[in-house]
Structures are given as C-alpha cells and as structure tokens.
Amino acid sequence: MSKAIQAIRGMNDILPTQTAQWQYFERVIKQILQNYGFHEIRLPLVEKTELFARSIGEVTDIVEKEMYTFSDRPDKHDQAENLSLRPEGTASCVRAGIQNNLFYGQVQRLWYSGAMFRRERPQKGRYRQFHQIGAEVFGLEGPDIDAEVILMTARFWKVLGLKNLELQINSLGSNTARANYREVLVKYLTEHQELLDEASQRRLQSNPLRILDSKNPYMQEMISQAPQLLNYLDAESKAHFEQLQSLLTANGIEFVVNPRLVRGLDYYNRTVFEWVTTELGAQGTVCAGGRYDGLVEQIGGKPIAGLGFAMGVERLLSLLEQDHLLPKADVPHIYLMTMGDKALQPGMQLAESLRDSLPDLRLMLHCGGGNFKSQFKKADKSGAQMALVLGDDEVDNQQVTVKFLREDKPQQTLGHQELQALLNEII
C-alpha cells in the first residue's frame, strides 16, 4: 500500500465541522463592512515578487525569509519572471487600483478576504497558509477616516461578543520626521550595540524602527529607554494624532498610546494601530493596520492617501472558540427516511417539494437503502430535529410520520399540508 500523502506543514484543512463557524464569522464581518460603505475586491493569489519587495521593503523579514517565491517558465508571450504567493493583501489591492484606474478623482473603500502565505515556523496562531480579511481606503487624508476605520473594527468585536481586546495606537509621523528620528535612534542603539541580538544587529542600518518591536526579554530595558518617535513628530502629524485620539475618546473607544508600536512593514506613516489580546499566547495581535500615504506612488501610481488594516481569521476564531462565542455546526432540520421501493420515488418528490416551498429548510434525504433501525440511527446521528418516515402505508394515504428526535413528544402522522405548517414553525 502506498504511503499516505500528508498536507504541507502549516497549511491546514478546514473541516466540515469548522466551516459553519468560518461562514458565521465571515458573514458578520462582511455585513459590517458593507454597512460602512466598503465594496469587495477579489485579488489573485500570485503576484510579481517585485510588488512585495517594493512595497513591504526588501530588508523586511517577510521579503528576505518568508515569501514563497518561484521563477515562472517563459513562453512566447512572456519572459521568465519571479513570482510570489501573496504574503499580505495591501500591496495587491494597491496594484489592482492602479492597474484598473480606481483611484483617480474618487474615494475608494475596498475590502478583500482569502489565503496569505508566509514560510514561518508553524505554531498556534501562526501558519504558513493563513487567512485574512482586510480593508483599504484611498483618497482621504484626515484623521476622521482613521477614526471611522478604527470604530468599524471596534464594532466587529461588539457584534461578535469579544470583550478582552486592547486597542494600541501610535503615530510614525511624516517621512521627514521618521528620517530625523531614525538618525537619533541609530545613534542610541549603536551606543548599546552589545545588547542587540543577531536580528537587531542586522536591522540596525536597514530597518532600525523594527528593533523597537523586538520581543527579546534581554533587550526590553534598553528599548524602554530609547528615544520615542512621538517626541520627534512634525507639527502636522502631531495635530493629526491628537485629533484622532479626541475622536476615539468622544466615541467611547478606550485605547493605549504605545510609542513602540511601529508595525512590520516599511510603507506605514502617521497612524498605526493594533488590537491585541493576552489570551492567545505569543500571537496576541488579531487586527492591525495604519496609514500609508506614499505607497500608491511607490508602486507606480499618482500620489494618493491610503489607510487600511487586516485581521487574522484563524486567531479571531480561536479567540471566539475560547470564549464560547461560535455557533454549532449547521445540522439538518429534517431527515427524510423512505421504507421500501414503493416509497423512494414519492419520498424524493416530497423532499424537492418541501425545498421549493421552504427555501430555508435544511433537509437531508436518506440515500443508500437499509432497514428502519439503520436509517433511524443515521437520522439521529445527523443531528436533525425530527425524522420524516415515508413507507407503503404513508404513500397510500398521502401522509408522513413525524418522529421528534430532540424533544420528548409522541410521533405524529400528518398530511402534506399539516406537515408544511409544522415545518414553518421550526424554521
């Protein structure tokens, strides 16, 4: 016998017992996004590697270590190109907007969902194939849209019932302010270079702000005493950040200003934010984003303001499961059993008739034959609320026997109209 083929490590199946929970979560998020005026865009899984190198940053961990990249085979129409499975959605959304002329002279509110790919060491909450729902806004520069996007994410948690999430915010300022701060930070870190771990040594000249986000416990005291970017903000960014805080406070949103919050991607400026939890161990960030006003121009479009976020679906589902906030898997309302060859055809006709008249009815028709005991056992295992039994007598009398599987009620024999009235009550 051949050896069974296993799934790739860190790329997981989503089983039928789980999909109802995924569908519930996606349905809630989609409805709220639509309520705030966002429209769905569907993006390809594979993009040119250059897109992510140019947007995320060539010296980030994602581009240097984590992307799944391969060389495409040339044909008579195209030369060989380096392609990558998308590690995040913002760059693809910006590329699509530029390519399809979505940005010029109009505001866009877009959302997307789907699989992302990063070659990391798999652990709980961090997988090589993971799923995100993200949203992006283009063409609005003020702190009002920053606040509304954060308010929308707060509404996600409110509707889902999640309570133990903390909002952390920060401002990275303008590109000029960041450049000035970078010089001060590099000077400070260089003075304490003996305390930097290997990853931080590598980032010292290429991406020093990422050192502030290090989780290395031996570096925390040194990092806590580093100069803070908030003290180097330009006047416009400072006013933007202060107004954002005022708008959040006025709408009852609690937050913590975290001066070490820098996010892992190079394209952010001004507002950045994260929703974090302590209930998932090391992978505590469940939703994060910020402003990226220079990214469209960086990828090849005309300058336009941008803002967005993404949420980790697996992490949020894990949190919802821990808090017992997920619905049970969908089960049939009805399991229809037929006894004997005479009942099979009218049984199938009855099933289709009920599906026509009751579109929301979940009805499973027994297939494969078997005696009453085996069929009844499968009816019970299905989780259905009741079983309908159609045998020779029921066919002759144009009736159906109803057996209640989850309630202590006597069985009933009903005509088809009486049956439909009963089913109307349970849907």
Side-chain angles (χ1 to χ4, degrees), residues 77-113:
H77 301 293
D78 299 301
Q79 295 181 337
E81 293 182 298
N82 282 334
L83 306 179
S84 295
L85 295 175
R86 62 186 186 191
E88 58 99 39
T90 299
S92 293
C93 193
V94 171
R95 190 270 313 148
I98 296 170
Q99 184 174 339
N100 295 284
N101 298 313
L102 300 182
F103 298 149
Y104 304 122
Q106 54 188 319
V107 172
Q108 290 287 356
R109 299 187 183 206
L110 306 173
W111 73 272
Y112 51 85
S113 65

Side-chain angles (χ1 to χ4, degrees), residues 54-100:
R54 198 189 298 183
S55 61
I56 297 172
E58 293 189 14
V59 293
T60 58
D61 284 350
I62 294 174
V63 172
E64 286 186 328
K65 300 178 181 179
E66 298 171 2
M67 288 205 305
Y68 284 93
T69 298
F70 57 96
S71 180
D72 194 18
R73 289 180 294 182
D75 58 29
K76 63 181 180 180
H77 301 293
D78 299 301
Q79 295 181 337
E81 293 182 298
N82 282 334
L83 306 179
S84 295
L85 295 175
R86 62 186 186 191
E88 58 99 39
T90 299
S92 293
C93 193
V94 171
R95 190 270 313 148
I98 296 170
Q99 184 174 339
N100 295 284

Side-chain angles (χ1 to χ4, degrees), residues 247-263:
L247 289 168
L248 293 176
T249 299
N251 283 278
I253 302 297
E254 296 181 0
F255 59 87
V256 173
V257 177
N258 178 1
R260 291 169 51 184
L261 177 59
V262 296
R263 302 294 301 129

Side-chain angles (χ1 to χ4, degrees), residues 46-58:
V46 179
E47 299 272 9
K48 295 180 180 180
T49 303
E50 180 188 5
L51 172 65
F52 303 115
R54 198 189 298 183
S55 61
I56 297 172
E58 293 189 14

Side-chain angles (χ1 to χ4, degrees), residues 352-370:
E352 290 302 303
S353 174
L354 291 172
R355 289 168 179 146
D356 285 340
S357 58
L358 301 168
D360 294 329
L361 178 68
R362 295 191 298 273
L363 184 153
M364 182 180 294
L365 173 67
H366 178 87
C367 295

Side-chain angles (χ1 to χ4, degrees), residues 77-203:
H77 301 293
D78 299 301
Q79 295 181 337
E81 293 182 298
N82 282 334
L83 306 179
S84 295
L85 295 175
R86 62 186 186 191
E88 58 99 39
T90 299
S92 293
C93 193
V94 171
R95 190 270 313 148
I98 296 170
Q99 184 174 339
N100 295 284
N101 298 313
L102 300 182
F103 298 149
Y104 304 122
Q106 54 188 319
V107 172
Q108 290 287 356
R109 299 187 183 206
L110 306 173
W111 73 272
Y112 51 85
S113 65
M116 310 291 168
F117 303 86
R118 297 184 190 177
R119 197 185 189 286
E120 302 181 282
R121 182 173 63 85
Q123 54 185 291
K124 183 178 180 181
R126 175 173 286 180
Y127 307 108
R128 291 178 173 178
Q129 176 177 311
F130 56 100
H131 297 77
Q132 289 185 342
I133 298 177
E136 318 290 347
V137 180
F138 301 96
L140 296 172
E141 299 181 0
D144 52 351
I145 187 61
D146 299 20
E148 185 177 52
V149 164
I150 293 174
L151 287 168
M152 180 174 69
T153 60
R155 188 169 297 277
F156 295 155
W157 323 140
K158 180 180 179 181
V159 174
L160 290 167
L162 290 171
K163 299 183 184 301
N164 298 319
L165 291 176
E166 178 183 82
L167 173 63
Q168 298 182 1
I169 64 173
N170 193 21
S171 176
L172 304 182
S174 65
N175 290 336
T176 301
R178 285 181 70 181
N180 293 336
Y181 171 69
R182 186 182 187 279
E183 292 183 13
V184 175
L185 180 62
V186 169
K187 182 176 183 297
Y188 172 82
L189 294 172
T190 301
E191 292 171 354
H192 298 83
Q193 194 162 352
E194 72 281 0
L195 298 175
L196 300 181
D197 57 22
E198 183 180 347
S200 298
Q201 293 275 3
R202 185 167 48 85
R203 289 169 173 158

Side-chain angles (χ1 to χ4, degrees), residues 359-413:
D360 294 329
L361 178 68
R362 295 191 298 273
L363 184 153
M364 182 180 294
L365 173 67
H366 178 87
C367 295
N371 58 30
F372 177 81
K373 184 177 180 180
S374 66
Q375 289 196 37
F376 188 77
K377 188 175 181 180
K378 290 180 180 179
D380 187 52
K381 189 176 181 180
S382 75
Q385 295 179 40
M386 60 183 71
L388 303 183
V389 182
L390 199 66
D392 290 348
D393 290 343
E394 285 84 1
V395 171
D396 290 339
N397 297 318
Q398 295 189 326
Q399 294 177 322
V400 178
T401 298
V402 179
K403 289 184 172 290
F404 295 91
L405 303 176
R406 312 294 159 210
E407 299 176 273
D408 186 16
K409 291 183 178 180
Q411 72 178 39
Q412 302 178 22
T413 301

Side-chain angles (χ1 to χ4, degrees), residues 211-226:
I211 298 175
L212 299 177
D213 199 33
S214 171
K215 302 300 187 290
N216 187 330
Y218 300 104
M219 294 170 50
Q220 296 309 301
E221 183 177 354
M222 180 271 293
I223 290 174
S224 69
Q225 298 176 23

